[in-house]
Amino acid sequence: MVSPDRSQTATRLLRSSASHSYDPEVEIDWDAPLLPDAYFVPERRSSLYGTELWEGLSAEQRRTLTRHEVASIAGLGVWFETILMQLLLREYYKQDPTTPHAQYALTEVADECRHSVMFGRMIKKLECPVYRVGAFDDGLGKWLAATATGPRMYAAILIAEEILDSLQREAAADETVQPLVRMVSRIHVIEEARHVRYAREELARKVRAAGRKRLAYDRMVIARAAYLTGRRLIAPEVYRSVGIEPEVGVRAARANPHHRETMRWAAEKVVAYLRELDLIGGPGLALWRRSGLLSS
Ligand SMILES: [Fe+2]
Ligand SMILES: [Fe+2]
């Protein structure tokens, strides 16, 4: 697989950043009231949609659950972006600041800064708690932020970015979804398309440069990142918002064919790409299977 020249891609991405970047402070009407009857993720994407628990919820409770689900996704988004900004800054630090490739890394940090502010404001507006990963994953995140380089760095980034991209692309186009969520999704999708391009190409380069031993280790770390993303996208605590115990909600969601399909669908593109680069396999495969992101 031959990827285009690094600086050509970066130059193109810098140009696109100049013409298609959005300031959520200006673009979004944060004072507009939320619509009383709109969902916060498309109804059928709720993790409990179609289950017995879902049948037991009132229409308002169903909307409440989707409000907490989108807050959970945004919370995980902020967490990933904060790690990513650290990684990109470290990469930038090692590079020549006059090159487009280095400048694009810094431009991406600027995008992620705006995104995390936007997600934070949205969580606040939705009056939801900040759903955070557990202590173990938090430690893993700190370790990744401090040490990740090469294939594992870019693959972990891509998993999070591409799954969010699938979900947000759909939400942005769905008229049953709250206008605020649609707007946040639209801004994120447009800007993330550049990040995905940058990470995909960079990942392919890093894989070509890595040795067999390095790749075997990275496959394991990538699998753990996939597991975390699949398992934590919807925080177990969201079910409390509608009076369901977290363990009960999690069990129902994991057994829910609609939700399983949503997770597989959201991860489809990134899984295909990681497979193409031979990054899924080895001892990490069991974690991938438990992540719920694989279709076979
Ligand atoms: Fe982002
Ligand atoms: Fe991004």
Side-chain angles (χ1 to χ4, degrees), residues 77 81 84 111-112 115-116 119 161 164 188 191-192 195:
E81 287 178 340
L84 170 58
D111 287 353
E112 300 297 15
H115 296 169
S116 285
F119 289 149
E161 287 186 336
L164 233 67
H188 203 240
E191 301 194 339
E192 287 294 324
H195 303 182

Side-chain angles (χ1 to χ4, degrees), residues 19-82:
S19 52
H20 295 97
S21 288
Y22 301 90
D23 181 353
E25 292 296 314
V26 178
E27 304 289 338
I28 295 176
D29 180 1
W30 292 101
D31 296 326
L34 296 171
L35 298 184
D37 294 329
Y39 284 92
F40 295 80
V41 302
E43 190 185 2
R44 69 179 205 291
R45 297 296 182 198
S46 173
S47 59
L48 295 185
Y49 177 79
T51 61
E52 259 174 50
L53 286 172
W54 183 259
E55 297 312 319
L57 297 177
S58 68
E60 183 164 359
Q61 284 177 313
R62 290 175 183 179
R63 285 194 292 273
T64 299
L65 179 59
T66 64
R67 179 157 57 83
H68 286 260
E69 286 175 327
V70 84
S72 168
I73 295 168
L76 192 69
V78 169
W79 185 72
F80 264 117
E81 287 178 340
T82 310

Side-chain angles (χ1 to χ4, degrees), residues 89-278:
L89 266 183
R90 272 217 331 274
E91 288 276 296
Y92 172 78
Y93 186 78
K94 292 184 267 185
Q95 296 176 45
D96 173 352
T98 64
T99 62
H101 187 77
Q103 288 165 5
Y104 183 72
L106 210 52
T107 305
E108 187 165 317
V109 174
D111 287 353
E112 300 297 15
C113 272
R114 294 193 306 278
H115 296 169
S116 285
V117 172
M118 173 171 77
F119 289 149
R121 283 197 79 159
M122 182 176 81
I123 294 168
K124 177 100 181 163
K125 174 89 185 172
L126 299 182
E127 296 178 12
C128 288
V130 179
Y131 290 108
R132 295 182 190 279
V133 300
F136 181 82
D137 288 330
D138 192 42
L140 187 73
K142 284 196 186 106
W143 172 73
L144 274 176
T147 64
T149 54
R152 64 175 176 273
M153 163 177 164
Y154 286 98
I157 291 168
L158 263 184
I159 292 169
E161 287 186 336
E162 295 213 33
I163 289 177
L164 233 67
D165 181 73
S166 307
L167 296 168
Q168 292 182 327
R169 216 168 262 275
E170 186 186 61
D174 190 323
E175 287 175 4
T176 65
V177 171
Q178 280 289 343
L180 170 70
V181 177
R182 293 180 67 192
M183 191 62 188
V184 165
S185 300
R186 193 172 307 132
I187 290 177
H188 203 240
V189 162
I190 294 171
E191 301 194 339
E192 287 294 324
R194 301 191 288 265
H195 303 182
V196 167
R197 163 56 61 86
Y198 186 76
R200 277 187 168 227
E201 287 189 13
E202 206 49 29
L203 176 60
R205 274 185 213 106
K206 303 286 187 198
V207 167
R208 281 199 300 274
R212 280 224 336 260
K213 246 179 151 172
R214 165 78 202 241
L215 281 180
Y217 176 66
D218 279 24
R219 267 186 211 104
M220 196 62 211
V221 179
I222 295 165
R224 188 58 182 76
Y227 174 80
L228 184 158
T229 313
R231 291 281 180 126
R232 293 298 308 199
L233 195 65
I234 304 299
E237 299 77 27
V238 300
Y239 302 111
R240 282 215 178 95
S241 68
V242 290
I244 296 172
E245 279 306 311
E247 313 81 76
V248 176
V250 167
R251 216 178 307 126
R254 286 200 189 134
N256 180 6
H258 297 285
H259 182 57
R260 294 166 74 114
E261 180 46 33
T262 290
M263 296 305 291
R264 282 196 293 259
W265 159 79
E268 215 164 54
K269 279 186 286 178
V270 69
V271 163
Y273 189 63
L274 296 180
R275 280 211 161 115
E276 217 178 297
L277 294 173
D278 193 23

